Amino acid sequence: MPELPEVEVTRMGITPHVVGQTVTKIIIRNARLRWPIPDAIKNIEGQVIRKVVRRAKYLLLETDIGYAIVHLGMSGSLRILPAGSVVEKHDHVDVVLASGEILRYNDPRRFGAWLWQQAGESHAVLDKMGPEPLSDDFDADYLVAKAKGKRKAIKLLIMDNHVVVGVGNIYANESLFTAGIDPQCPAGKVLPQKLQLLVDEIKVVLKKAIAQGGTTLKDFKNADGKPGYFAQELQVYGKGGQPCPRCGEILMDIKLGQRTTVFCDKCQR
């Protein structure tokens, strides 16, 4: 599943092409995504896209009257294509722009979403979310308060969107490794100084991933069609059974909250 860096890279990729452009037409070829695409999504026709905002793993195409909310799901992608581009299998939605370009949504598994929200209102999928991990609201004091007294594993806490959004499995594994924290440790037992380090490492790992184009997943390509490159620098994710890059011990590979969790039993305490 595309994680926060992949979604942010997509936002960065499509923004120069869509912001300031009038939507001349919305073409829906298959409305059966994770939730049925509402007819109201066509309200965006005739509107100028003012900006593209990311909230957690959702992208918001904002206009004066409201915004389309897009989620890439497990296999979705947004591409900028020339007008008249051949329609391929799983090309479900086109946003046709006055420039002649098309913002095309492709999703083989159809677990993504296109939703509509009127301006000035909030949508249920965006309510009750925690702060963005790269914002100033996500700091050590905040995480210490959220972790206090919690028996929940620290990895599961930082992957909880009610606590902080967008720290998916790949980057939770990487951040906990660089911070030297056992992912199984109850959140309430992690020392405050360790939580400070974890906050710092989450920000560093995510910024690095965004800068390098997002992690390449088998179903994901950036808006320009180029793969991301951060996968080459992952230290532990996907490397269970291999030597730890720090100490050489064999990396553990377990399931935690039904998600693959890779860590070093020696380096992460």
Side-chain angles (χ1 to χ4, degrees), residues 204-242:
V204 167
V205 168
L206 290 175
K207 286 179 180 178
K208 189 174 183 181
I210 291 167
Q212 295 184 344
T215 300
T216 303
L217 303 179
K218 66 178 182 179
D219 291 325
F220 179 80
K221 287 187 176 180
N222 296 340
D224 61 359
K226 297 177 182 178
Y229 300 104
F230 189 59
Q232 300 173 22
E233 299 192 14
L234 294 176
Q235 297 190 74
V236 293
Y237 180 82
K239 297 184 178 182
Q242 298 181 31

Side-chain angles (χ1 to χ4, degrees):
M1 177 182 293
E3 296 199 22
L4 184 150
E6 287 76 29
V7 179
E8 178 63 15
V9 167
T10 295
R11 185 196 69 78
M12 294 165 64
I14 68 174
T15 291
H17 298 271
V18 304
V19 169
Q21 288 294 320
T22 298
V23 177
T24 60
K25 191 174 184 180
I26 297 287
I27 300 172
I28 301 173
R29 299 185 184 88
N30 189 342
R32 296 173 299 161
L33 300 181
R34 181 177 179 184
W35 302 291
I37 300 177
D39 291 338
I41 203 75
K42 291 197 173 184
N43 290 345
I44 202 174
E45 291 182 347
Q47 296 295 312
V48 175
I49 298 176
R50 301 298 182 186
K51 57 183 174 178
V52 183
V53 176
R54 181 191 53 75
R55 180 66 171 118
K57 297 179 186 179
Y58 290 91
L59 290 173
L60 281 58
L61 307 180
E62 295 197 2
T63 72
D64 292 338
I65 65 168
Y67 44 92
I69 305 172
V70 183
H71 195 286
L72 300 179
M74 296 182 69
S75 59
S77 63
L78 288 169
R79 302 284 299 282
I80 299 293
L81 299 171
S85 294
V86 174
V87 176
E88 299 181 355
K89 189 177 182 180
H90 309 306
D91 285 344
H92 302 313
V93 181
D94 279 358
V95 179
V96 183
L97 305 170
S99 64
E101 290 186 313
I102 300 167
L103 176 64
R104 177 166 289 172
Y105 177 74
N106 179 284
D107 188 354
R109 300 183 186 179
R110 292 190 285 112
F111 288 155
W114 279 70
L115 305 168
W116 174 256
Q117 188 58 57
Q118 291 294 121
E121 299 180 8
S122 62
H123 197 286
V125 298
L126 302 177
D127 289 341
K128 299 180 180 178
M129 284 187 173
E132 289 286 333
L134 297 178
S135 71
D136 292 340
D137 292 333
F138 182 60
D139 61 14
D141 289 342
Y142 172 83
L143 189 57
V144 167
K146 288 295 182 181
K148 186 176 181 179
K150 296 291 194 309
R151 299 175 64 183
K152 188 176 191 177
I154 184 60
K155 184 190 175 196
L156 300 183
L157 185 77
I158 63 173
M159 290 182 64
D160 185 342
N161 276 336
H162 294 97
V163 175
V164 58
V165 300
V167 183
N169 194 38
I170 293 174
Y171 302 107
N173 276 277
E174 293 295 301
S175 301
L176 287 162
F177 175 73
T178 53
I181 299 172
D182 185 339
Q184 305 169 97
C185 182
K189 292 189 176 181
V190 180
L191 297 175
Q193 56 266 38
K194 279 283 194 179
L195 292 176
Q196 170 71 74
L197 183 57
L198 179 57
V199 167
D200 293 342
E201 291 299 333
I202 287 172
K203 292 177 185 287
V204 167
V205 168
L206 290 175
K207 286 179 180 178
K208 189 174 183 181
I210 291 167
Q212 295 184 344
T215 300
T216 303
L217 303 179
K218 66 178 182 179
D219 291 325
F220 179 80
K221 287 187 176 180
N222 296 340
D224 61 359
K226 297 177 182 178
Y229 300 104
F230 189 59
Q232 300 173 22
E233 299 192 14
L234 294 176
Q235 297 190 74
V236 293
Y237 180 82
K239 297 184 178 182
Q242 298 181 31
C244 170
R246 284 183 177 170
C247 71
E249 291 290 318
I250 297 301
L251 293 171
M252 305 289 290
D253 188 340
I254 64 171
K255 290 290 185 182
L256 188 60
Q258 300 183 330
R259 303 301 299 274
T260 298
T261 302
V262 181
F263 67 102
C264 177
D265 197 37
K266 182 177 180 180
C267 294
Q268 294 172 254
R269 297 290 184 180

